[in-house]
């Protein structure tokens, strides 16, 4: 497998820890709950994009690029980590963010500014076009831009989560348990593609269940074909013969609530649960929605209490500060 020889730029210390969530397990009396702490990847407040960026930046450096250009929502964790990673790699960073510039930036947007990224604001509908426009402008100005798609979800970025699955296989070996399911937040698909492919490679037989945060974020296509496409392109990239079809993916779209980045009771209850029972923080957009969905599935009997489930924490905690008003109302 070519995975070990692909260009990779070191951004963080791995493996990330796995913890048993004793109080949460007891509270719901369902499966034994473990958590994989990718919120603790050691770069710029952590999160799942770190693993993708190791391979994306590896490729950018190999192609002798000097500027990273990417896009996302105004509170994008992906954009914040791209800004941080750019600094560690000695690259410039331009971000195309959809939304209106607030008077005082907070959360991820504040961190983008602290990392010194150049931010371009635009409407959601213009975002994809603006991304390539900014890259063109940089090229005209004599720079060498490297464009990273939304969420870093392509065949290069997803390799990060194939590698994460190999990391988990080693940890499971050391810890002496194999979860019956892995549950996590899925959005642009790169994480799920990498985990599902990595699961196949390592012979993992459990369910790899993505809780969809924003079903249609990647564009007009329905989500499962996008997942399949990214997964098969990733397999090809690492020299694996594995090919997947839509039925190889486990996807739950029942928790989309009021829409992307519109947290409600489900999310705030999950934030409260994890904070009060485990001292662990979740982000309102992704991980709280996924955890809220996971808890709801436990309560509906989707898992049995002789099972073990690993919740893969994908980060996003800086979002909390951008939703300070609602958090304050929910907890204050
Ligand atoms: C981006 C992100 C996800 C989703 O990952 P994808 O690879 O885009 O599906 C989940 N959680 C957090 C905190 C994220 O920032």
């Amino acid at each position: 497998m070519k995975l070990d020889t692909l260009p990779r730029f070191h951004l963080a210390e791995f493996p990330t820890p796995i913890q048993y969530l004793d109080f949460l397990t007891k509270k719901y009396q369902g499966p034994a709950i473990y958590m994989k702490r990718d919120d603790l990847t050691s770069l710029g407040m952590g999160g799942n994009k770190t693993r993708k960026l190791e391979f994306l930046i590896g490729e950018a450096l190999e192609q002798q690029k000097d500027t990273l250009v990417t896009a996302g929502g105004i509170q994008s964790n992906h954009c914040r980590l791209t800004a941080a990673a750019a600094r560690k790699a000695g690259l410039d960073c331009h971000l195309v963010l959809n939304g209106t510039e607030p008077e005082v930036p907070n959360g991820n947007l504040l961190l983008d500014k602290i990392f010194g990224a150049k931010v371009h604001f635009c409407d959601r509908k213009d975002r994809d076009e603006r991304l390539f426009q900014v890259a063109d402008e940089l090229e005209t100005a004599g720079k060498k831009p490297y464009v990273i798609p939304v969420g870093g979800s392509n065949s290069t970025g997803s390799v990060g989560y194939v590698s994460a699955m190999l990391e988990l296989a080693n940890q499971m070996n050391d810890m002496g348990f194999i979860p019956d399911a892995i549950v996590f937040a899925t959005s642009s698909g790169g994480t799920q593609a990498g985990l599902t492919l990595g699961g196949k490679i390592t012979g993992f037989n459990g369910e790899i269940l993505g809780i969809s945060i924003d079903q249609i974020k990647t564009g007009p296509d329905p989500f499962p074909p996008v997942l399949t496409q990214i997964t098969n392109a990733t397999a090809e990239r690492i020299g694996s013969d594995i090919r997947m079809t839509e039925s190889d993916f486990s996807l739950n779209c029942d928790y989309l609530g009021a829409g992307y980045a519109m947290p409600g009771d489900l999310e705030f209850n999950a934030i409260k649960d994890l904070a009060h029972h485990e001292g662990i923080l979740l982000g309102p957009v992704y991980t709280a929605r996924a955890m809220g969905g996971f808890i709801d599935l436990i309560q509906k009997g989707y898992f049995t209490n002789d099972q073990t489930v690993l919740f893969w924490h994908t980060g996003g905690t800086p979002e909390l500060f951008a939703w300070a008003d609602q958090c304050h109302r929910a907890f204050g």
Side-chain angles (χ1 to χ4, degrees):
M1 210 167 48
K2 282 198 302 191
L3 198 144
D4 295 334
T5 58
L6 287 177
R8 180 174 187 169
F9 182 78
H10 174 82
L11 289 173
E13 270 40 73
F14 296 109
T16 53
I18 292 177
Q19 294 169 333
Y20 175 55
L21 304 188
D22 191 19
F23 286 103
L24 203 69
T25 298
K26 285 196 180 115
K27 174 167 179 184
Y28 290 103
Q29 300 186 342
I33 304 170
Y34 286 80
M35 184 180 268
K36 173 92 169 139
R37 301 292 305 272
D38 274 14
D39 56 322
L40 300 180
T41 52
S42 52
L43 173 83
M45 295 188 84
N48 65 336
K49 303 311 180 305
T50 315
R51 293 185 188 268
K52 301 178 180 184
L53 284 161
E54 287 207 336
F55 289 92
L56 290 162
I57 291 182
E59 187 175 84
L61 293 174
E62 191 188 52
Q63 296 175 5
Q64 304 192 319
K65 306 292 190 183
D66 58 22
T67 308
L68 303 180
V69 191
T70 195
I74 202 162
Q75 282 300 326
S76 165
N77 300 298
H78 162 67
C79 289
R80 177 250 311 168
L81 280 167
T82 302
R87 289 307 176 197
K88 199 166 164 67
L91 303 169
D92 286 339
C93 180
H94 284 244
L95 302 175
V96 174
L97 302 181
N98 57 280
T100 28
E101 183 168 15
E103 213 166 294
V104 182
N106 203 346
N108 283 308
L109 181 62
L110 175 64
L111 299 177
D112 295 343
K113 304 257 172 174
I114 290 175
F115 289 124
K118 175 83 182 71
V119 178
H120 308 260
F121 292 95
C122 69
D123 286 345
R124 173 68 182 85
K125 64 173 176 29
D126 303 329
R127 189 175 74 188
D128 298 348
E129 199 186 326
R130 189 83 186 99
L131 173 63
F132 287 98
Q133 216 173 37
V134 167
D136 283 348
E137 286 163 14
L138 284 163
E139 209 144 284
T140 307
K143 305 287 284 180
K144 296 194 183 72
Y146 178 83
V147 176
I148 299 176
V150 171
S153 286
N154 60 14
S155 62
T156 305
S158 292
V159 175
Y161 269 87
V162 176
S163 166
M165 206 56 198
L166 304 183
E167 172 183 309
L168 178 69
N170 282 330
Q171 281 178 303
M172 291 187 306
N173 219 5
D174 293 346
M175 295 175 77
F177 82 95
I178 296 174
D180 297 284
I182 296 171
V183 177
F184 57 97
T186 190
S187 175
S188 62
T191 302
Q192 184 155 9
L195 289 179
T196 308
L197 178 59
K200 193 88 174 174
I201 290 168
T202 56
F204 179 75
N205 285 324
E207 183 174 11
I208 297 176
L209 174 61
I211 308 271
S212 179
I213 302 309
D214 176 20
Q215 206 178 353
I216 53 164
K217 189 171 178 185
T218 42
D221 297 334
F223 196 49
V226 172
L227 271 178
T228 311
Q229 185 261 321
I230 300 173
T231 305
N232 290 339
T234 307
E236 206 172 319
R237 164 143 308 216
I238 62 173
S240 156
D241 293 336
I242 294 170
R243 294 295 179 271
M244 303 226 167
T245 61
E246 286 174 36
S247 61
D248 290 313
F249 298 94
S250 235
L251 185 67
N252 181 309
C253 298
D254 293 343
Y255 302 102
L256 298 169
Y260 178 70
M262 305 280 276
D265 288 348
L266 180 93
E267 290 80 6
F268 290 112
N269 286 335
I271 290 172
K272 193 169 187 172
D273 244 356
L274 270 285
H276 287 198
H277 293 288
E278 300 287 347
I280 291 173
L281 297 171
L282 300 171
V285 179
Y286 295 91
T287 36
R289 181 165 288 179
M291 180 58 84
F294 174 43
I295 290 171
D296 187 59
L297 288 173
I298 295 174
Q299 289 178 313
K300 287 181 171 149
Y302 186 86
F303 303 102
T304 56
N305 58 10
D306 58 354
Q307 288 185 315
T308 301
V309 180
L310 182 91
F311 183 89
W312 203 307
H313 193 322
T314 46
T317 46
E319 297 157 14
L320 280 168
F321 304 103
W323 273 269
D325 276 3
Q326 272 175 285
C327 284
H328 178 67
R329 251 177 281 139
F331 307 130

